[in-house]
C-alpha cells in the first residue's frame, strides 16, 4: 500500500513538472508567434481589399506590415545571429511590401504586389515552418 501511494505521488509530481516545463517552453515562442499572428491579420485585410476592389483601403495595413516586418529578425533571432537564407527571405518580404505601398490605389498593380507578398511569405514558411 505504501509503495502504491509513493508511486501515485511520484506520477503526480512528474505530471506537474512536465506541465510547468511545457508551459515555459511555449512562452519562449510567444513574441514571434504573436508577431506572425498580427501580420497574418493585416495580410488578410490586404487580400480582402484586393477581392473587394477597394485597394485604397489597404494603405494602413501595408504601413503596419512594413513596421512589423522590421521586427521579424529580432523576434525570431533575439541574439542577433540571423542566418543568411532567413535574412534573404526577410529582404524579399520588405521589397514586396514596398511594391505594395508604391502600387497605391491602382488595383491591378496592387493585386500583383500583394501576390509578391504572398510568394515571399510562402517561401519563408515553406523553409522554416
Amino acid at each position: 500500500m505504501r509503495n502504491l501511494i509513493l508511486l501515485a505521488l511520484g506520477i503526480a509530481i512528474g505530471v506537474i513538472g512536465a506541465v510547468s516545463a511545457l508551459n515555459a517552453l511555449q512562452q519562449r515562442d510567444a513574441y514571434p508567434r504573436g508577431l506572425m499572428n498580427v501580420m497574418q491579420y493585416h495580410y488578410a485585410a490586404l487580400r480582402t481589399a484586393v477581392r473587394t476592389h477597394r485597394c485604397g483601403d489597404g494603405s494602413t495595413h501595408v504601413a503596419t506590415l512594413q513596421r512589423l516586418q522590421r521586427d521579424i529578425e529580432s523576434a525570431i533571432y533575439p541574439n542577433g545571429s540571423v542566418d543568411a537564407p532567413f535574412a534573404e527571405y526577410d529582404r524579399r518580404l520588405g521589397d514586396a511590401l514596398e511594391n505594395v505601398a508604391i502600387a497605391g490605389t491602382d488595383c491591378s498593380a496592387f493585386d500583383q504586389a500583394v501576390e509578391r507578398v504572398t510568394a515571399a511569405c510562402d517561401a519563408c514558411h515553406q523553409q522554416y515552418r
Side-chain angles (χ1 to χ4, degrees), residues 5 11 31 40 49 55 64 69 77 82 88 94-95 99-100:
I5 292 173
I11 289 173
Y31 179 59
Q40 184 178 10
C55 301
T64 302
Q69 182 267 331
Y77 294 100
V82 180
E88 176 62 23
D95 292 347
N99 288 336
V100 174

Side-chain angles (χ1 to χ4, degrees), residues 45-55 107 110-112 114-115:
L46 284 181
R47 298 295 301 167
T48 301
V50 167
R51 271 187 246 115
T52 59
H53 302 291
R54 297 179 62 159
C55 301
C107 276
F110 190 82
D111 184 28
Q112 291 173 356
V114 170
E115 287 304 318

Side-chain angles (χ1 to χ4, degrees), residues 45-115:
L46 284 181
R47 298 295 301 167
T48 301
V50 167
R51 271 187 246 115
T52 59
H53 302 291
R54 297 179 62 159
C55 301
D57 292 350
S59 62
T60 58
H61 298 291
V62 172
T64 302
L65 283 169
Q66 286 177 316
R67 282 191 302 268
L68 293 172
Q69 182 267 331
R70 293 183 202 118
D71 289 341
I72 291 175
E73 281 188 13
S74 63
I76 304 296
Y77 294 100
N79 61 358
S81 62
V82 180
D83 63 340
F86 186 84
E88 176 62 23
Y89 289 129
D90 189 40
R91 186 193 60 78
R92 286 182 195 169
L93 177 60
D95 292 347
L97 288 169
E98 186 64 33
N99 288 336
V100 174
I102 291 170
T105 58
D106 178 15
C107 276
S108 64
F110 190 82
D111 184 28
Q112 291 173 356
V114 170
E115 287 304 318

